[in-house]
Amino acid sequence: MSVSIDVTGLPVERIHVVPSPLAELGMALHALSEPAHHPGLQAWTTSVSACLDPCLADRLCEADFLWRSTYSDVFAPYSGAPGRRTLPGATLAEELDLLDKLSDEEFVDAALEFTCQTDYATRGPGRLADPAARERALDLAAARGAHQVRFTQRLLDDPPAIRAWFRELLQDCDEAFFADMWARVRHPLAADARHKTQLLRHKGLREALGSVSGAVSMDEAGGAVIVDKLSEGQSSTGDGGLLLVPTSLGWPHLFVVHRHGWQPTILYPSAAPGPAAPPSVAELTLRMSALAHPVRMRLCRHLARGSYTTGELADAYGMTAPEISRHLSVLKKAGLVTTRRHGRYVQHQLDLGLVSRLGADFIEGVLR
């Protein structure tokens, strides 16, 4: 599974690496609402939450579905601008102005994209004009709770009022905590963007993407960007551009804007802890499947304690050597077991370092 972006014929001049204050604010709101996703930010989220004005905290709860369970495209309005070549603004105010330039229908679609589980990459019926689409939106919002139903109803009834309310909310967040945070992170983000841009100019898109994340690559032909995720999607730059937007708060998330008619955009963490090349979704699936069999789980118990030959394992479990070999083959294919030869004996051992990362890898994979 992956999201692919067709970049056939895309000149390097239409590829940009640019920080976005609005995207960073969206990530900050997500981290505050889901601190478990970002254990490395615990000190910051605890400090901000403790000092947050109760009135502002209540207002944030009204619309937290825009950033809590996922990440709404309202935080990337530059991607929806006509021509699909607009860059993020230098300030939050500039990007809020870009948000104001989206039509009511575009704003509503972006705000309700995850609530309503639409066919994201195609243009469906508008919720403001189509009664069936409107009812569908309200029905799906009901599954998320009463506050989301109320917000969705208000958004569908009076988009301009909600848009004004939302802009004021973000401005109040800027005053309460984000301005100070942005002052600290904007220079490192700009440095990261300059580094990626230099790679892009001198070594090409493939090299630049490799520095963005181990989960982002190009196909062999060089005509498509592939983002390894537990979701599927397709987009194309066409006569538009491609945006890479760094965030200091993103890890382990890797977001891709591939909405129909919008400029493809990848929001990536500028610094990711852990292995430099995280396992692909396919590799993660292979490892989890390999450990699902009870015999292989029992073999892992032995192999975690030391090195054993196939014959020793066969004796220990009352199985034939070919049966043990088949199970070891599955574990080795998944990269969970290493082998080494001592004379005429081949010994097998569990890779404890890799297995110890499996839980974190799984969390990163499903949150990516």
Side-chain angles (χ1 to χ4, degrees):
M1 290 181 283
S2 62
V3 176
S4 66
I5 302 170
D6 187 344
V7 294
T8 303
L10 179 67
V12 70
E13 294 77 16
R14 296 210 306 264
I15 305 171
H16 297 276
V17 190
V18 188
S20 161
L22 182 55
E24 194 75 353
L25 175 52
M27 284 306 313
L29 292 172
H30 169 73
L32 288 170
S33 63
E34 287 289 359
H37 289 193
H38 306 272
L41 301 175
Q42 182 177 1
W44 179 80
T45 56
T46 301
S47 173
V48 172
S49 297
C51 298
L52 207 58
D53 178 79
C55 181
L56 178 57
D58 288 342
R59 290 160 62 204
L60 287 173
C61 289
E62 291 186 55
D64 69 352
F65 67 91
L66 293 173
W67 55 76
R68 177 183 286 275
S69 58
T70 187
Y71 189 83
S72 171
D73 287 349
V74 297
F75 294 105
Y78 37 82
S79 300
R84 304 202 300 169
R85 297 190 190 182
T86 300
L87 302 184
T91 66
L92 182 63
E94 289 179 24
E95 295 203 313
L96 291 177
D97 289 343
L98 288 175
L99 185 61
D100 287 343
K101 291 180 180 180
L102 295 180
S103 69
D104 284 348
E105 190 68 66
E106 289 172 328
F107 182 87
V108 169
D109 283 347
L112 297 180
E113 66 186 70
F114 300 109
T115 302
C116 304
Q117 302 173 14
T118 58
D119 191 352
Y120 181 79
T122 61
R123 189 181 300 280
R127 298 179 187 84
L128 295 180
D130 187 281
R134 178 189 177 93
E135 286 304 311
R136 172 72 172 159
L138 291 169
D139 286 344
L140 291 171
R144 299 291 183 92
H147 76 284
Q148 187 155 325
V149 174
R150 289 192 296 270
F151 186 91
T152 303
Q153 184 74 64
R154 291 164 56 204
L155 179 60
L156 293 169
D157 288 344
D158 192 353
I162 291 298
R163 296 179 66 165
W165 177 88
F166 184 63
R167 178 173 180 134
E168 184 179 0
L169 175 69
L170 297 184
Q171 289 172 327
D172 289 346
C173 288
D174 185 44
E175 183 178 346
F177 64 87
F178 181 69
D180 289 340
M181 192 200 86
W182 181 246
R184 292 194 304 271
V185 304
R186 65 187 181 93
H187 294 298
L189 289 178
D192 181 84
R194 286 194 298 271
H195 172 65
K196 302 291 193 297
T197 300
Q198 288 297 315
L199 285 175
L200 177 66
R201 298 291 186 263
H202 298 294
K203 296 190 176 182
L205 181 56
R206 190 184 299 274
E207 190 77 15
L209 292 174
S211 71
V212 163
S213 169
V216 184
S217 62
M218 295 193 72
D219 66 356
E220 291 186 8
V225 176
I226 308 297
V227 184
D228 187 56
K229 290 176 68 71
L230 275 169
S231 59
E232 294 187 45
Q234 292 183 335
S235 184
S236 173
T237 54
D239 59 356
L242 174 68
L243 276 177
L244 305 176
V245 178
T247 168
S248 66
L249 305 175
W251 189 87
H253 305 301
L254 185 65
F255 295 116
V256 186
V257 177
H258 57 286
R259 174 179 293 281
H260 178 80
W262 286 39
Q263 179 177 200
T265 302
I266 300 174
L267 181 66
Y268 68 92
S270 60
S280 68
V281 170
E283 290 172 326
L284 185 58
T285 302
L286 189 64
R287 292 171 185 175
M288 301 293 282
S289 298
L291 291 174
H293 196 286
V295 171
R296 291 194 284 272
M297 282 290 291
R298 291 168 61 203
L299 286 174
C300 285
R301 182 177 183 274
H302 255 78
L303 298 173
R305 288 163 169 77
S307 300
Y308 292 90
T309 66
T310 301
E312 289 175 316
L313 294 170
D315 287 341
Y317 290 100
M319 300 172 67
T320 66
E323 288 175 321
I324 293 293
S325 292
R326 283 195 292 272
H327 286 297
L328 288 174
S329 177
V330 173
L331 292 170
K332 285 188 286 185
K333 187 177 180 180
L336 299 170
V337 166
T338 61
T339 62
R340 60 180 179 176
R341 179 175 290 277
H342 286 283
R344 64 190 184 92
Y345 296 102
V346 177
Q347 295 182 326
H348 314 281
Q349 189 165 19
L350 193 68
D351 186 338
L352 288 175
L354 189 148
V355 175
S356 69
R357 294 197 305 266
L358 196 53
D361 287 342
F362 174 73
I363 292 172
E364 180 180 351
V366 296
L367 291 179
R368 185 183 300 159

